[in-house]
Amino acid sequence: MRTRTADHLAALFQDRHNALDLDEEIRKLGGLRPGMLLGDMDEGIISVNTGIDIIQSIPSVQELVDSLLGVG
């Protein structure tokens, strides 16, 4: 999810390629608390597994059930 905060952190890492600088900036922004605990996706960040890259579709529950049951 692209947000102003995500773009800022990505640019910082792109410019410096320094994880310690990035960690310090994340700490200044409140760490993972705003995004992960408080749900503020605009000002916070969230941690996701690298498996998120393989998601190719987000079916409805009905579509998923039909697919699993071989219906349709």
Side-chain angles (χ1 to χ4, degrees):
M1 172 190 286
R2 279 187 82 166
T3 64
R4 183 173 41 95
T5 301
D7 287 343
H8 167 70
L9 293 172
L12 178 68
F13 186 72
Q14 191 74 358
D15 289 345
R16 300 183 192 166
H17 294 283
N18 185 332
L20 293 177
D21 287 346
L22 189 60
D23 285 347
E24 177 64 20
E25 188 66 21
I26 291 170
R27 186 191 64 73
K28 288 178 188 175
L29 295 171
L32 294 176
R33 189 178 201 298
M36 296 287 287
L37 185 61
L38 302 176
D40 185 350
M41 299 302 177
D42 293 324
E43 297 299 323
I45 58 171
I46 60 171
S47 174
V48 295
N49 187 300
T50 56
I52 199 161
D53 290 341
I54 63 172
I55 296 173
Q56 295 184 9
S57 68
I58 303 174
S60 69
V61 173
Q62 185 65 56
E63 291 169 332
L64 180 60
V65 170
D66 287 350
S67 171
L68 291 171
L69 296 176
V71 177

